[in-house]
Amino acid sequence: MWAIADVLGDAVTSEVAAAWDEVYWLMANALINQERGLYSARGVRPETVWRQWKVEKKIRETHDVVTFVVKRTDDRLVKTSLPGQYVTVRMTMPDGVLQPRQYSLTRADDGEHRQFSVKRVHGDGDDPDGEMSALLHDSVSVGDILTLSVPYGDVVLDDSGRPVVFATAGIGIAPVAGMLSHLAKAGSALDITVLHADLDEPSFPLRRQVVSDVLELRRAAVYAWYEKSTQSMEPLNGVFQGLMDPTAVDLPDNALYYLCGPLPFMQAVRSKLLERDVAPKDIQYEVFGPDLWQADLD
């Protein structure tokens, strides 16, 4: 309200102020009720949403992606995550501000550990580097304590038994790695196709885990598109140079599609799929970062 009055000045009459106050509380109460519903759905209370975890491993995936494996520090039951969900990591910044950030869970639960991967956000022009990602990369080590929420997220793996196609780019592989881990752990017999685009093979986050899970699955394949010419060291089913073209490979009929990556990438892949008469309802997508506000691909 101070900001509104400061910007609008004398235009903020008592009637205008009262109207803004009413709108604010209508929105606030709607969000409060939605949050209460999320807690209820997960079977937690506000005071049990957050929990401390000890960093057990810090794995360098690529030059700008690090994976954290954390272990519970108490005897409380670990709430099971669904394939594709994320946790919120909450940290105190150098200026004392408490900041939350969301990171996809990249491996299936084992009852004691969580695993998530963090891409360092580099500044561009006048934009600064990502504060939280830099802190996690540079200042958090094995043995440190992190505060995580219970898992959340609506873009989760469908269990209808239909074939699955994942199309990802860059760190967009993160939620898909979590889904593949769940599928491998369950010994899934689904037809699974993984399509991934990146700069080159060394830039492919979670590459070894993804390939290992695909090899473990009975009916799975993985294809990669690299912008730079590269000699693949992994046993992939196909490697292409340039931008991803899902029409370059045989895709299963009646499949469900999951897209994750930069917004232009997902728009391009979705257009290609629609040209192949894939129904829009069969294409799910998840947007990371600042593209979220413009995430309607329709």
Side-chain angles (χ1 to χ4, degrees):
M1 290 302 295
W2 177 89
I4 291 171
D6 185 58
V7 172
L8 299 181
D10 294 339
V12 183
T13 64
S14 58
E15 291 83 4
V16 170
W20 271 105
D21 185 68
E22 182 178 0
V23 169
Y24 172 86
W25 283 109
L26 283 171
M27 294 174 63
N29 285 323
L31 292 172
I32 289 168
N33 289 331
Q34 185 176 6
E35 185 179 26
R36 186 178 294 118
L38 289 171
Y39 292 161
S40 177
R42 294 298 290 150
V44 295
R45 303 182 305 277
E47 62 271 20
T48 60
V49 170
W50 300 99
R51 183 173 183 173
Q52 290 192 325
W53 299 74
K54 186 176 182 179
V55 178
E56 194 170 83
K57 296 179 182 178
K58 184 178 180 182
I59 305 165
R60 174 66 59 183
E61 300 283 354
T62 70
H63 73 283
D64 62 357
V65 176
V66 167
T67 290
F68 292 90
V69 179
V70 296
K71 185 177 182 179
R72 64 180 183 177
T73 60
D74 54 43
D75 294 328
R76 286 166 48 202
L77 181 67
V78 175
K79 292 287 181 180
T80 303
S81 66
L82 298 175
Q85 287 191 314
Y86 59 82
V87 291
T88 297
V89 180
R90 191 172 67 178
M91 295 185 67
T92 302
M93 299 294 102
D95 60 4
V97 174
L98 197 61
Q99 289 278 15
R101 292 290 188 277
Q102 286 73 45
Y103 298 106
S104 296
L105 291 169
T106 50
R107 191 179 289 277
D109 301 321
D110 64 3
E112 289 191 43
H113 298 84
R114 299 267 198 231
Q115 177 179 302
F116 63 94
S117 301
V118 180
K119 179 179 180 179
R120 182 190 289 272
V121 178
H122 296 284
D124 183 16
D126 294 332
D127 295 332
D129 292 343
E131 191 175 26
M132 176 74 99
S133 65
L135 190 64
L136 284 164
H137 272 249
D138 299 336
S139 302
V140 175
S141 303
V142 172
D144 289 346
I145 300 297
L146 292 176
T147 301
L148 275 61
S149 74
V150 292
Y152 286 103
D154 297 326
V155 182
V156 298
L157 190 64
D158 187 282
D159 61 356
S160 62
R162 294 169 60 185
V164 177
V165 177
F166 300 113
T168 63
I171 194 60
I173 193 66
V176 168
M179 293 181 187
L180 284 170
S181 179
H182 278 266
L183 290 166
K185 186 176 181 180
S188 174
L190 290 177
D191 283 324
I192 300 163
T193 306
V194 181
L195 315 176
H196 182 74
D198 231 308
L199 181 63
D200 52 26
E201 187 169 90
S203 302
F204 186 159
L206 297 151
R207 183 180 76 252
R208 292 183 178 86
Q209 177 185 318
V210 167
V211 173
S212 176
D213 284 340
V214 166
L215 291 173
E216 188 173 334
L217 291 160
R218 285 173 282 172
R219 301 169 66 182
V222 57
Y223 301 88
W225 280 258
Y226 297 130
E227 293 183 37
K228 292 182 178 179
S229 179
T230 184
Q231 180 66 40
S232 177
M233 302 298 291
E234 300 287 357
L236 308 181
N237 296 85
V239 178
F240 305 89
Q241 188 171 355
L243 302 180
M244 181 184 292
D245 180 5
T247 65
V249 301
D250 291 329
L251 298 177
D253 295 329
N254 194 35
L256 293 170
Y257 291 81
Y258 297 84
L259 315 184
C260 192
L263 196 58
F265 161 81
M266 293 195 295
Q267 289 171 329
V269 171
R270 186 174 185 273
S271 295
K272 291 279 190 181
L273 295 175
L274 294 178
E275 290 173 3
R276 290 186 59 158
D277 295 325
V278 175
K281 65 180 178 61
D282 290 335
I283 306 173
Q284 294 197 55
Y285 56 89
E286 186 162 18
V287 183
F288 291 164
D291 283 340
L292 185 60
W293 69 276
Q294 52 178 344
D296 187 359
L297 270 63
D298 294 323

